Structures are given as structure tokens and as C-alpha cells.
Amino acid sequence: MRSAPMALLRSLALLALLACSVLAWAGPYGLAVNSRGNEVDSQRVDALWRVDLATGEAEYIGWTGFFDLEGLALDASGTLFGADDDSKTLVRVSQTSGLAIPVGGQTNRSNMGVAQSENLDFGMAMDCSGRAWVISSGQQRLFRADLASGELTAVGEAGDLGAPISDLAIIGDRAYGIGVGLDAAGRALAPNLYSIDLNSGSAQLVGPLGDAALPYNNAGLAFDEDGVLWAITDRRAVPGGDFPSAILRIDPESGRAEQVAETIVGFESLAVSSPVGCGLAGAGSPLAVPALSPAAILSLMLVLLGLAVVQLRSRHS
């Protein structure tokens, strides 16, 4: 009579263990804009998408209303900001509709205070102090961004980065950048990971991304809440044709990348989490072992509970 309940308990414990394994290794979701693309519907280009970084599955959220939104970043409250190169505007982006509005109000378009004619190619990140950073691969220069007015303040001089860096990501007090992959002629340019000094606006090579990073143009870069570094690369109009954007996981110590999945064409921005690595002992060092998500922790607790019940029942059988 006792064997059936015992078998049921063992089965439940096994199912919980399997669920825990799946949840623990599931990839996070990111927000990205395909500022280049081959969609038939024009409002599905320059649009905000929600991307499963583990599978590449992309969910359309909505058109941003801007035509070259290249940098994305989430602040501590989860508000999404972006940097538009077409109009030189710092914006807030709705995660519900995708619509972007200039910081400071609708009339504050072209609010960055930089030359309209220059092709800057922006990336963006937030740090643990609530500061916003914008990077320009065109000028090879770092900027601070005022989240109230949109105005950019240069850190150092043009060229101080020493490389065309497409986007940056920050963990604790460390900043990293991903280089532009190809030049205008389709030749390899800077498919590397860099460390960035936010005080001086200079950069140092960490290492090449390697063969897993197939030829790409610009790219988005972001840490997830577990300290894992992700990139998404724009592979539209590379030698050989238009290809899906590639999702990469990058080792911050070596710069080496591994391809995880492919997604729709034309992504060159990525935001995954609010600032990470803040206020912890040793903050700023890349995490060697990713922490479990809340869902995975809950599943682990269920496993432990199930195993405890099985053990208790076995002692009384």
C-alpha cells in the first residue's frame, strides 16, 4: 500500500529536478532595435523587439518612430533609454508600445548638442551610480549623457578610444566594449572585446572574438543580471548577402565568443538588465559562475523539499 505514494513522491521529485535544470540554464531575454532590416512592413524596421537570447525567437513590440536607434540601456528602475544617430536624440523607449520620446519632451528632439551632419554610430550603457554613457564608433570617443536634457559631454578627445567601438556594457566598476566588425569595404576592422576606462575615455584590447563571431557590421553588448556578457551582431549586407543577426556569449576575461543562436536581420543594439554588480564585494569582476534566477532557485527549493519528503517516507516505511 505504501509503494504507490512512494513512487509518486519520487516521480514528483524527479520532475522538479528536471524543471530546475531547464530553468537554471535558460537564457535571458533582451531588448533590441533592428535599425537595419529586410522586413516588408517598414514599421517592423527601426522597431523594438523582445529577443530570447537562448533561442533567438523575437517578439515584435512596436515601431520606435526614429530611424537609426542604435544604443539601448536600462536604468535602475527598468526605464529603457536609447540613442538615435539619425536625429542625434536621446530618448525614452516604451517597452509596451516601442514608441520612443525625446528626453525633456517631444519638442526636445536633436537634444544631444552634437553636429547633425556627423555619422557617430552610438552605443549606450548605464552604471551603478545612475550615470548614462554613450559611445561613438565614428569618433572613437566616449560621452556622458544627461538623462534629463539629453545633452552629451565628451570624455577626452576624438580618437581616444583607439578603436571603433560599437557598444559598451558595464558591470560594477568595469566597462567593456565590442568593436565594429567590418569596414565599409567589407574587410575585418575590429571584431574584438575591449576594456574601457570611463574616467579617461580610453580603451585596451581584451582579445579577439574569434571564429564564432561570423562577419558582422555593428553590434549590441550587455550584461544580464547573472553577470553573463551577451552580444548581438548585425549581419545585414556582409560579404555574401544578408544574414540573420547572431547572438553571442562572450568571456570577459579573454574576449572569446561562442554563438548561441540566430535571430532576425539588422539588430545592432541590446539591453538585457538594469545595472549589475552594484554594491557587492568585489563588484566589477566578471562573475565566474552565473547565479541562478529566482525561478531556478524556487525549483531547487521544490527539489530539496521533494527529496526530504521521500527520505522521510522511506524512514517510516
Side-chain angles (χ1 to χ4, degrees):
M1 295 293 293
R2 292 178 180 176
S3 60
M6 283 295 296
L8 177 61
L9 286 170
R10 290 192 180 97
S11 297
L12 289 173
L14 179 58
L15 288 172
L17 181 60
L18 291 173
C20 177
S21 299
V22 171
L23 286 168
W25 294 105
Y29 287 86
L31 295 166
V33 170
N34 57 332
S35 48
R36 289 151 53 93
N38 58 359
E39 300 279 340
V40 175
D41 183 348
S42 62
Q43 290 205 341
R44 292 173 67 87
V45 182
D46 294 301
L48 183 67
W49 298 73
R50 187 171 184 261
V51 183
D52 184 330
L53 298 179
T55 67
E57 182 177 354
E59 174 191 359
Y60 175 77
I61 296 175
W63 186 52
T64 64
F66 285 79
F67 293 97
D68 201 8
L69 194 56
E70 296 174 333
L72 291 176
L74 290 158
D75 72 5
S77 69
T79 301
L80 182 63
F81 290 85
D84 178 64
D85 191 29
D86 175 67
S87 63
K88 307 301 187 288
T89 305
L90 192 73
V91 299
R92 287 186 181 87
V93 186
S94 169
Q95 297 181 48
T96 303
S97 68
L99 189 64
I101 298 175
V103 300
Q106 284 281 18
T107 60
N108 201 32
R109 199 175 177 94
S110 302
N111 55 25
M112 289 181 166
V114 295
Q116 287 292 109
S117 59
E118 197 162 2
N119 183 25
L120 296 177
D121 274 335
F122 293 128
M124 188 175 182
M126 301 283 185
D127 70 15
C128 292
S129 299
R131 297 175 298 181
W133 301 89
V134 169
I135 203 163
S136 164
S137 65
Q139 283 196 357
Q140 299 188 22
R141 193 179 200 179
L142 183 67
F143 298 88
R144 283 275 309 278
D146 188 317
L147 294 177
S149 68
E151 186 173 359
L152 299 185
T153 300
V155 179
E157 303 296 328
D160 277 358
L161 288 170
I165 296 177
S166 180
D167 199 10
L168 74 163
I170 299 172
I171 181 168
D173 58 5
R174 291 191 179 184
Y176 296 86
I178 186 169
V180 175
L182 300 172
D183 64 16
R187 297 173 299 224
L189 185 58
N192 307 311
L193 185 72
Y194 298 86
S195 63
I196 298 174
D197 187 325
L198 297 177
N199 293 315
S200 67
S202 61
Q204 295 292 326
L205 176 67
V206 174
L209 300 177
D211 294 340
L214 300 174
Y216 69 93
N217 297 300
N218 290 331
L221 190 70
F223 282 99
D224 68 19
E225 63 183 8
D226 295 331
V228 178
L229 183 58
W230 297 87
I232 193 164
T233 61
D234 167 29
R235 304 195 64 237
R236 181 178 181 271
V238 300
D242 292 346
F243 297 98
S245 299
I247 298 171
L248 308 176
R249 191 162 43 223
I250 299 175
D251 178 2
E253 295 290 349
S254 68
R256 299 293 291 183
E258 61 172 315
Q259 182 169 324
V260 177
E262 292 183 336
T263 184
I264 67 171
V265 171
F267 285 134
E268 54 180 322
S269 57
L270 182 63
V272 180
S273 173
S274 294
V276 295
C278 304
L280 301 176
S285 300
L287 303 182
V289 180
L292 294 179
S293 67
I297 293 172
L298 177 59
S299 293
L300 182 58
M301 292 173 64
L302 290 174
V303 170
L304 295 175
L305 179 61
L307 292 175
V309 172
V310 170
Q311 184 67 19
L312 183 63
R313 293 285 295 181
S314 65
R315 288 180 178 178
H316 289 83
S317 60

